[in-house]
Amino acid sequence: MSNLFGCSRVLAVGDIHGMYEKLIKLMDQIQFAPVDDLLVFLGDYIDRGPDSVKCMQYVYNLQRRYPDSVICLMGNHEVMLSSYFLQKKGIHTDLMKDFADSWLENGGLETLQQLNELDASTRETLVNWVTDLPVQFRYQEFFFCHAGIDADMALDRQTDFDLLWKRHGWRERYKGTETIVVGHTPVQKLPDWTGRRAPKPRFLTNNIILCDTGVYMTGGRLSCVDVLSRKGWQA
C-alpha cells in the first residue's frame, strides 16, 4: 500500500484515447511499483484510438488490484460515454443529450461497438466504473484534473464543467502556488507549438504541468510525468 504522504514517485499519465499498445509500452517503461509509487491517470481512456475497451479494462483492473496506489480521474470522453448510457436508462437532461450525441461523433461509435461485444455484466461494470470516476485529486501541493480550472476561483470551488472541459484562457492567468497537472489539450494544439518532431509534456513557469502529448495524432506520444522529479517517459 502506498504511503500517500511520502511516495517515491507521483506519476501522471496523459490522455490514452484507446491506444492500448502504447499504454502497455509506457507501463513497461515506467515500472510502476505500487508499494512506493502513486499513479494518477488523467482521464480520456477511450475514443479516437482502436482499442478503447482494452484500455478501459487495463486501467480498471489496475485500480482494482492497487486501489490505494492508482487514481483514475474522469475525462470529458468518459462524461460523454456515461451520458449516453444514463440516457439509455431513462435519465434525461438537455446537456446530457448534447454530451451523448457528441460522443458518437467523436470516436464513441467505435467504442460503443466494442462495449457491445462484451457480455452484459462486464459492460455494465465498466460503464458504472466510468460514471463514478472522480474529477479531481490532490496530493501535497499538486492538483490533478483532466482539463483545466477557472483561474479566478479557489481550487476547492471549481466546477466539474471546468475541470472536465476547460481548454482556453486559464493557463495564462493562473497565479496559484499549487501545481496544476492536466491532460485534455495536446501540446501540439497550443499557440506556441513549434512543430517539434517529438512532442513532450510542458512545465509552465506558473506551476502548470501539461501531460497530453496527442497520442492519437500523427507523431503523437503517450506520456507520463513524475511530478516530483519532473522525469518523463513516452511511448
Side-chain angles (χ1 to χ4, degrees), residues 180-233:
I180 312 298
V181 185
V182 297
H184 187 54
T185 301
V187 297
Q188 298 96 312
K189 293 187 177 181
L190 298 179
D192 61 349
W193 170 249
T194 60
R196 293 186 295 274
R197 186 170 298 174
K200 297 183 181 298
R202 297 281 300 276
F203 301 90
L204 306 187
T205 56
N206 57 335
N207 298 326
I208 297 172
I209 301 176
L210 308 176
C211 299
D212 185 358
T213 47
V215 63
Y216 66 90
M217 301 168 68
T218 301
R221 301 286 190 274
L222 179 61
S223 294
C224 173
V225 174
D226 174 12
V227 301
L228 301 180
S229 68
R230 297 198 169 190
K231 180 179 179 180
W233 299 263

Side-chain angles (χ1 to χ4, degrees), residues 107-160:
L109 185 59
E110 292 78 8
T111 304
L112 179 61
Q113 291 170 344
Q114 293 173 25
L115 284 167
N116 285 336
E117 293 172 2
L118 302 173
D119 64 84
S121 176
T122 301
R123 180 172 59 252
E124 184 174 8
T125 295
L126 286 176
V127 170
N128 289 342
W129 171 71
V130 162
T131 301
D132 291 336
L133 290 174
V135 299
Q136 62 174 276
F137 175 73
R138 296 174 91 151
Y139 173 83
Q140 296 181 357
E141 72 271 26
F142 298 95
F143 182 93
F144 301 83
C145 64
H146 175 65
I149 63 166
D150 182 338
D152 298 319
M153 187 174 291
L155 292 180
D156 59 1
R157 298 181 59 198
Q158 297 291 320
T159 68
D160 288 356

Side-chain angles (χ1 to χ4, degrees), residues 79-107:
V79 173
M80 293 188 286
L81 180 154
S82 61
S83 296
Y84 176 89
F85 281 95
L86 286 171
Q87 281 204 135
K88 297 285 282 185
K89 292 181 177 180
I91 302 172
H92 297 280
T93 68
D94 290 342
L95 187 58
M96 190 178 293
K97 183 181 186 307
D98 290 343
F99 286 161
D101 292 343
S102 296
W103 182 51
L104 297 178
E105 297 167 1
N106 286 277

Side-chain angles (χ1 to χ4, degrees), residues 160-179:
D160 288 356
F161 190 88
D162 284 333
L163 297 175
L164 291 163
W165 294 91
K166 192 81 167 181
R167 199 180 293 277
H168 302 295
W170 70 274
R171 290 179 295 271
E172 300 80 6
R173 292 170 40 240
Y174 177 66
K175 295 180 173 61
T177 58
E178 290 191 71
T179 298

